[in-house]
Amino acid sequence: IGLHDVKKEVEILMNFQQIRIEREKYGFLNEPINNHMVFYGPPGTGKTEIARLVGKIFKCLGILSKGHFIEADRSSLIGGYIGQTAIKTNDVLQSALGGVLFIDEAYSLNSSSVSGDFGAECISTILKFMEDKRDDFILIVAGYEKEMSEFLNVNAGLKSRFNSQLYFPNFTEKELLEILLKIAKDKGYRVLGNSKTLLRNKIAQISEIKKPTFGNARSMRNLLEIAIKNQARRLMMKKERTKDQLLELIFEDFDIDFQQLEDI
């Protein structure tokens, strides 16, 4: 659902790689390139899911030997004493060889607020691996646009290592409703038709007061979980419940207070 520009960018990358493969079959020389990527955007907009798909796509194209997906954060990469960071970072990088290493909120690696921070050592280790193993390794770093831009400017060689930058926008209210209905269906529930219009207004209310940390698809999952709990409380007030009643979510189930709206 949504992500139209992201889908176009991924298609462009696929076409580019396919032509390179065909050129090689005819003996044409291709300039060596890296396939590392930057994903900009707020939470819950599909960055992790697209990163997983990149691994599968590049494996199918024969560019990655395994296509597996490894997710890492600051705690798994940076150590607490001299020498530990390079070891931890190398271990993670080696585990991702042949696939995709995804680092969300990558700017946390360069936290200047931490005393005795070893972020620079981590970034240097990653940079060397990106260059040495670029034929069978893809690094995808992700996070908010402003913070990611600052992170890439920390090291002179960092920004130049990323050939592709994809922006993931907030979902529209219409897309959020579609996402909510899909998640509900996947979980074995259905939202009654006469509740959908009211639910659309509820999502518009949530969008209006959302914070920068609004979770988009993740928030729709949270909203659904609240509705499922409310449904359970409503149905337990009945002596008996039918099969349809166990499946159906009505608008009242999505009735949440203002504090819940802010936190969702």
Side-chain angles (χ1 to χ4, degrees):
I1 297 171
L3 301 178
H4 305 295
D5 290 340
V6 172
K7 291 171 184 174
K8 286 180 184 176
E9 287 296 323
V10 172
E11 185 179 5
I12 289 170
L13 289 172
M14 291 169 60
N15 293 340
F16 172 69
Q17 295 294 346
Q18 186 62 47
I19 293 301
R20 283 175 61 86
I21 291 167
E22 293 182 16
R23 281 174 55 86
E24 287 179 0
K25 288 180 180 178
Y26 285 103
F28 297 125
L29 293 176
N30 289 319
E31 285 290 323
I33 63 165
N34 67 61
N35 296 300
H36 310 302
M37 306 177 188
V38 180
F39 288 0
Y40 297 106
T45 48
K47 297 187 292 295
T48 304
E49 188 60 32
I50 295 297
R52 290 182 189 276
L53 290 173
V54 165
K56 294 177 181 178
I57 290 168
F58 278 66
K59 168 66 167 64
C60 289
L61 290 171
I63 294 162
L64 292 175
S65 60
K66 298 177 183 177
H68 63 300
F69 177 85
I70 299 292
E71 189 168 2
D73 59 16
R74 178 185 172 86
S75 64
S76 59
L77 294 166
I78 294 181
Y81 54 84
I82 295 172
Q84 187 186 27
T85 293
I87 295 171
K88 290 183 70 172
T89 302
N90 266 315
D91 286 345
V92 172
L93 291 168
Q94 288 296 336
S95 71
L97 185 60
V100 170
L101 174 61
F102 180 75
I103 306 177
D104 199 9
E105 297 185 354
Y107 31 81
S108 66
L109 300 180
N110 190 52
S111 175
S112 57
S113 61
V114 181
S115 178
D117 184 59
F118 301 107
E121 183 183 0
C122 173
I123 293 171
S124 296
T125 304
I126 290 173
L127 276 172
K128 186 176 187 308
F129 195 88
M130 289 171 72
E131 191 63 29
D132 292 348
K133 306 295 183 182
R134 62 182 175 182
D135 292 335
D136 196 20
F137 168 71
I138 295 177
L139 174 66
I140 299 178
V141 293
Y144 291 106
E145 185 172 11
K146 178 177 178 292
E147 287 85 344
M148 285 303 300
S149 179
E150 292 172 354
F151 167 70
L152 292 176
N153 289 323
V154 165
N155 187 299
L158 193 56
K159 192 171 186 178
S160 64
R161 296 294 198 285
F162 295 97
N163 281 345
S164 301
Q165 300 190 12
L166 280 66
Y167 180 70
F168 291 68
N170 283 307
F171 288 109
T172 66
E173 292 168 14
K174 179 176 180 294
E175 290 167 345
L176 288 172
L177 178 60
E178 290 178 22
I179 289 168
L180 177 60
L181 296 177
K182 183 183 185 306
I183 297 173
K185 182 179 178 182
D186 291 344
K187 288 181 175 290
Y189 292 88
R190 64 168 177 258
V191 180
L192 293 183
N194 58 356
S195 295
K196 290 179 183 176
T197 300
L198 295 172
L199 189 52
R200 185 179 291 111
N201 294 335
K202 175 69 70 175
I203 291 173
Q205 185 183 3
I206 293 170
S207 296
E208 187 176 342
I209 64 171
K210 69 185 177 188
K211 299 177 181 177
T213 53
F214 175 66
N216 283 280
R218 198 175 304 133
S219 291
M220 293 303 98
R221 188 180 299 112
N222 293 342
L223 177 59
L224 179 65
E225 288 175 0
I226 292 171
I228 291 171
K229 291 176 183 176
N230 289 341
Q231 182 222 39
R233 184 172 64 248
R234 173 173 58 82
L235 292 180
M236 285 303 294
M237 296 173 68
K238 300 177 181 291
K239 289 184 178 180
E240 295 181 357
R241 291 155 286 279
T242 67
K243 178 182 177 182
D244 282 343
Q245 286 175 331
L246 293 171
L247 287 171
E248 292 167 352
L249 295 172
I250 63 176
F251 177 68
E252 284 73 15
D253 296 329
F254 292 91
D255 189 22
I256 58 180
D257 60 36
F258 186 79
Q259 183 58 48
Q260 286 176 301
L261 272 178
E262 283 193 315
D263 294 341
I264 198 167

